[in-house]
Every structure is written in C-alpha cells, then in structure tokens.
C-alpha cells in the first residue's frame, strides 16, 4: 500500500488505519524516526507538535505490539506514553485508537480531574498501551492497579514542558519502576541543559532526530504584529473577529487565567461563541470546550500556555496572542496550533510598548522579524511622534513631559477611524 515509504514497513493492519486517516506520505520526522524505532533503537527527538511526531513514535510501538504478541497480563501494560497535560494525553490516546483500529490493541488513557472508574475498567480489560499524565499514573500505581514491570516501550513526550511543570520528581519515580531492558523514546521541542540531562538518564545509545524550529510548518504561518495599548486589546480582538467572519476557528492566548476569563466575558457580550481552557477549569469543562471548538460550535477558544501544547484541531484559521508569552519558546508552540501538517495559517500578536523587549527576543529565536500591521483602528504608535493636533492638547494636560510624557518618552496614542484592516492574503482563505 505504501511500498515506497517507511509506512510500507509497518504491519498491514496499521497501514489500513493510516490510509483511513488520510495520510499519503510520511512527514519528515516520521521518515527519519520510524526506521530507527522499527530497529528497536532508543531515540531523542527534538520536534515540536504539529510535525506529526505522535505518529512517528506511536506507529512503530503499535507495530511492535502487533507483531510480537505476548499473553495479556491485566494491569501490566507493554507500552507507556507519558504526557505533561491532559489535553495532550487525550489527543495521543485518540491517535492510538485511530491507528490501532484494525489491530485489536486495548489501551487506556489515564488523566486526573475525572473519575478513575472508566480508566480502571480499561486497565482491567487488558490495556497494552497506556497514555498517562504523571499524577494519575502514580496514583494508580500506589493503589496497586497498575504496574510498570512489563513495559517494553516507554515514551516521554514534551519533556521540556514536563520539567517546566515541575514533574521531574514524578518522572524519576516512574522511570525507577520501569524494567532496565526497554526501548525509550524522548521527545522535546527544546533541549536546554536540564532536559538533556534527563534524556541522558533515560536513553541508551540513542538515535537522534531533529526537526528544527525553522520547519516549513512555522514558515508557512503568516505572522503579524499589531501595536496596541493594553486597554485597547479586547476592542481590537472584537474588531478583528468582526472584520473576518471567515475565521471560524480562532485560538486566543492570554498570559493569565483571569485574563482568559475576562476575554471570554467580553466576547460573549459581543455575541461571539467562545470558551476558555486553563488549569482552573475542570477536566469536563476543558473537554467540552475542546469538543465544541473541534465541531465548530465554539468559534473562539481562549487558552493559557499550559493548555496550549498539543491542541490538535485541524483548520485553525488564526492564532491571536493577546500578550506575548513569558517564555520565548512558547511563541513557537502557540502559533504552531495553526498551520498543522502542511496547512497554512495566520498568527497575530498584540504588542504594547512594554512588550517590545519580548518581541525582539522572539524575533531572535525565530531568526526573522515579524511584519507590523499598522492598518487597524487601535494602532498605538510609540515610535512615531503624535500628529500635530495632538501635541498642544496633550502637552497642556501634562506639564511634566509635554507631548513626550513624564519620562521624555513619546506617549502612546490610539487613533480611531483608520483604514479598515485587510489582513492580507488570508482573507477568505480559511475554511
Ligand atoms: P502531531 O505533531 O503528532 O500533533 O500531528 C499533527 C497533525 O498532523 C495531526 O492532526 C496528525 O493527524 C497529522 N498527521 C500526522 N502525520 C501525518 C501524515 N503523514 N500526513 C498527514 N497528516 C499527518
């Protein structure tokens, strides 16, 4: 079926499922990683979400489970994937389900925030693959429901995020329960020294695959910056949504949870269907929001960074950064929600004067400067002198600094009634 690609080396049952998923050719990370994994090698993969990395590790693991059958032992899975967030775990489990549909490989997805009842039931049915977040996994191990002594393939996904979230002690504990002889896969979007150290503890003689951040996935995203005062950001967002009715799936990122709730309230009042996902929301609320977004009932999903990794929803028209992320790398993860697997997408960042430094850091990371879109009614122009008619009036209001404000800096000014935004080539381009 896939004779000329690495997919052709997989079991027929998996190939059928891949075909059903609509994949025609492997993505670069699949092309590079699958042969090593089929040979049983350990792997360090430096790749971001959106590159097809889930299939890159899941397909060879499922292939091993199909081809090397063993008597099923309840509560002793053969493959374990560790995910930092519930959303990512659910998505990975959905992929497991999708790829193993002809192979009869039971699995369980173990996440916190929901009852363990259904999850224990899946374990008792003989789950061979377990996708889990560290907390719930340890919980079930402590209860004597799950044991890791038969794990043959172990994946640590989004290791950098795991460390950011403080999971290192949990991860060490989990690794200590794994058998010494196993295949270990380690994925991370970034490889700072603490992450590399953890990788060193986990893998043996690994193959290494890097899909650099300058992948076409990010290149394809139409990135824009809009300079705007903090107080005008909500209004600018509402304006853009009104100007672009064709944007039917938009993700809006905020730095803080209460910021996300505030945006949702404002959009809701403006009659826009929206929902928030962040760590204060229950698992049920998060799942409902994501499902609504996937179905298209929820037009705007407002999320914090914790929720941002691994949101795998196709056809996202636009990503809006209400604030730039605190961690520079998060910018790439955020905008990677659009332009998944070869599609093109748009990403707009609202930037205040105070955020200029962060913007420069992001531009250094992605090694390009992001074009500024000044054609919107809420434009703040900190670098330009205010128009002549503004200066005397403003100067009169503030004797300390005249038109340039108390510290000699030019003050921001909003201009209402500028030309309508035409957000470029994307207009009408998104379904
Ligand atoms: P991931 O990086 O694993 O989150 O995958 C991103 C998206 O790409 C998911 O929607 C996958 O279903 C999709 N995908 C993965 N591999 C392929 C492929 N070979 N061809 C087309 N789409 C793919």
């Amino acid at each position: 079926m896939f004779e000329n690609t690495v997919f052709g080396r997989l079991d027929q049952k998996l190939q059928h499922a891949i075909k059903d998923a609509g994949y025609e050719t492997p993505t670069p990370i699949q092309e590079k990683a699958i042969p090593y994994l089929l040979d049983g090698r350990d792997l360090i993969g430096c790749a971001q979400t959106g590159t097809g990395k889930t299939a890159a590790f899941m397909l060879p693991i499922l292939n091993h489970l199909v081809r090397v059958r063993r008597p099923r032992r309840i509560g002793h899975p053969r493959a374990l994937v560790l995910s930092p967030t519930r959303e990512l775990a659910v998505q990975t489990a959905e992929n497991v389900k999708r790829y193993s549909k002809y192979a009869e490989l039971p699995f369980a997805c173990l996440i916190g925030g929901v009852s363990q009842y259904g999850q224990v039931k899946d374990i008792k049915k003989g789950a061979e693959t377990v996708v889990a977040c560290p907390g719930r996994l340890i919980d079930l191990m402590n209860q004597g429901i799950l044991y890791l002594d038969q794990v043959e393939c172990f994946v640590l996904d989004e290791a950098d995020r795991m460390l950011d979230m403080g999971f290192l002690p949990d991860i060490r504990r989990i690794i200590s329960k794994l058998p010494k002889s196993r295949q270990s896969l380690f994925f991370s979007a970034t490889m700072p020294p603490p992450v590399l150290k953890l990788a060193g503890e986990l893998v043996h003689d690994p193959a290494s695959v890097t899909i650099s951040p300058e992948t076409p996935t990010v290149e394809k995203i139409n990135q824009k910056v809009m300079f705007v005062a903090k107080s005008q950001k909500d209004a600018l967002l509402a304006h853009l949504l009104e100007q672009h009715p064709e944007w039917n799936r938009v993700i809006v990122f905020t730095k803080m949870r209460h910021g996300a709730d505030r945006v949702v309230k404002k959009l809701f009042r403006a009659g826009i269907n929206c929902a928030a996902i962040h760590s204060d929301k229950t698992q049920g609320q998060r799942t409902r929001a994501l499902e609504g977004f996937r179905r298209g009932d929820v037009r705007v999903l407002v999320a914090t960074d914790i929720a941002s990794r691994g949101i795998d929803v196709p056809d996202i028209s636009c990503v809006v950064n209400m604030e730039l992320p605190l961690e520079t790398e998060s910018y790439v993860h955020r905008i990677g929600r659009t332009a998944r697997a070869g599609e093109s997408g748009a990403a707009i960042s609202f930037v205040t004067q105070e955020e200029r430094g962060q913007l420069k850091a992001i531009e250094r990371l992605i090694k390009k400067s992001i074009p500024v879109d000044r054609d919107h009614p809420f434009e703040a122009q900190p670098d330009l002198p205010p128009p002549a008619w503004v200066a005397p009036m403003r100067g009169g209001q503030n004797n300390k600094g005249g038109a340039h404000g108390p510290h000699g800096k030019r003050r921001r000014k909003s201009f209402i009634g500028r030309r309508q935004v035409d957000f470029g080539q994307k207009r009408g381009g998104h379904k």
Side-chain angles (χ1 to χ4, degrees):
M1 203 176 310
F2 291 104
E3 286 77 19
N4 299 323
T5 73
V6 289
F7 288 162
R9 290 183 58 190
L10 298 167
D11 192 272
Q12 284 294 330
K13 290 177 179 142
L14 297 177
Q15 291 193 39
H16 277 295
I18 295 170
K19 192 153 183 286
D20 287 357
Y23 303 174
E24 286 168 8
T25 49
T27 65
I29 190 162
Q30 292 161 3
E31 194 79 63
K32 287 186 187 173
I34 290 174
Y36 288 128
L37 298 178
L38 289 177
D39 289 346
R41 292 278 300 271
D42 280 8
L43 184 100
I44 296 183
C46 187
Q48 52 195 99
T49 308
T51 51
K53 83 177 151 70
T54 316
F57 65 72
M58 224 45 254
L59 289 170
I61 290 177
L62 295 172
N63 193 68
H64 171 74
L65 299 182
V66 178
R67 293 226 168 129
V68 186
R69 293 280 190 189
R70 293 195 206 288
R72 226 164 251 166
R73 285 188 60 194
I74 304 292
H76 297 260
R78 296 176 64 196
L80 172 66
V81 179
L82 216 49
S83 303
T85 62
R86 298 164 188 176
E87 282 78 15
L88 185 63
V90 168
Q91 275 168 202
T92 304
E94 276 167 4
N95 281 334
V96 172
K97 188 175 173 189
R98 194 196 242 179
Y99 304 142
S100 60
K101 72 189 225 195
Y102 298 112
E104 287 170 41
L105 292 169
F107 67 94
C109 179
L110 313 180
I111 55 172
V114 291
S115 152
Q116 70 174 44
Y117 179 78
Q119 301 172 8
V120 174
K121 223 165 127 183
D122 288 340
I123 294 170
K124 300 281 181 215
K125 274 191 213 152
E128 294 201 32
T129 306
V130 162
V131 182
C133 293
R136 179 56 61 94
L137 181 72
I138 289 178
D139 204 3
L140 292 169
M141 285 159 60
N142 287 343
Q143 294 177 50
I145 293 170
L146 196 79
Y147 299 88
L148 304 185
D149 58 331
Q150 301 294 316
V151 170
E152 295 160 50
C153 307
F154 172 65
V155 183
L156 186 66
D157 198 10
E158 302 207 338
D160 48 358
R161 171 64 46 160
M162 290 273 193
L163 296 197
D164 288 351
M165 292 173 73
F167 281 135
L168 187 59
D170 285 352
I171 293 170
R172 289 231 162 89
R173 218 166 130 206
I174 291 164
I175 294 174
S176 74
K177 303 286 179 207
L178 294 169
K180 290 274 166 298
S181 162
R182 55 165 201 261
Q183 186 178 26
S184 300
L185 285 57
F186 185 97
F187 283 91
S188 191
T190 57
M191 291 286 176
V195 173
L196 275 176
K197 184 166 176 282
L198 179 62
E201 292 171 28
L202 188 69
V203 293
H204 299 285
D205 185 24
S208 151
V209 168
T210 300
I211 303 294
S212 66
E214 302 89 337
T215 52
T217 330
V218 177
E219 288 303 309
K220 274 194 182 161
I221 302 171
N222 179 15
Q223 301 174 62
K224 299 263 175 174
V225 160
M226 289 184 174
F227 291 125
V228 58
K230 195 172 168 197
S231 59
Q232 301 275 38
K233 286 185 172 183
D234 294 343
L236 175 56
L237 176 64
H239 168 80
L240 290 175
L241 290 169
E242 195 182 309
Q243 292 294 306
H244 293 276
E246 77 281 5
W247 292 354
N248 44 20
R249 269 193 207 92
V250 179
I251 298 191
V252 174
F253 283 107
T254 62
K255 217 159 40 182
M256 315 290 275
R257 285 164 286 188
H258 61 81
D261 289 334
R262 194 204 60 234
V263 171
V264 161
K265 259 191 214 141
K266 294 224 167 155
L267 293 182
F268 205 70
R269 259 187 246 137
I272 294 165
N273 242 335
C274 54
I277 55 168
H278 53 64
S279 48
D280 273 357
K281 298 278 179 192
T282 64
Q283 187 54 36
Q285 287 171 320
R286 292 201 218 178
T287 309
R288 271 196 301 283
L290 260 179
E291 275 171 4
F293 189 57
R294 263 197 205 113
R295 272 198 314 270
D297 303 340
V298 171
R299 182 178 172 211
V300 182
L301 191 68
V302 187
T304 56
D305 278 308
I306 289 289
S308 83
R309 290 274 186 118
I311 295 176
D312 180 20
V313 178
D315 296 330
I316 289 174
S317 329
C318 183
V319 169
V320 177
N321 292 315
M322 289 296 272
E323 294 105 14
L324 290 175
L326 291 172
E327 291 163 47
T328 315
E329 285 85 12
S330 295
Y331 176 80
V332 178
H333 298 303
R334 284 183 177 190
I335 70 167
R337 303 313 89 213
T338 183
R340 308 285 275 180
E343 298 158 23
S344 62
I348 307 174
S349 299
F350 295 173
V351 178
T352 61
Q353 171 71 1
E354 293 72 30
E355 290 173 300
R356 290 290 186 108
Q358 277 162 269
L359 177 61
K360 287 277 160 288
I362 287 167
E363 290 180 331
R364 271 197 299 279
L365 176 81
I366 62 170
K367 298 194 183 83
K368 69 180 241 183
S369 63
I370 305 170
V372 179
D373 185 341
R374 295 186 183 277
D375 276 347
H376 62 87
F378 304 96
E379 163 76 349
Q381 296 182 311
D383 288 343
L384 299 177
W389 58 268
V390 174
M393 186 180 77
R394 285 287 176 169
Q397 282 172 352
N398 185 343
N399 293 330
K400 283 187 204 152
H404 292 175
H407 306 295
K409 281 186 185 163
R410 291 175 181 122
R411 277 180 283 120
R412 274 173 274 131
K413 180 82 188 94
S414 304
F415 303 99
I416 312 289
R418 292 176 135 257
R419 251 186 308 143
Q420 259 192 358
V421 186
D422 179 7
F423 192 52
Q425 316 87 294
K426 295 289 131 192
R427 192 175 268 275
H430 294 283
K431 288 275 147 356

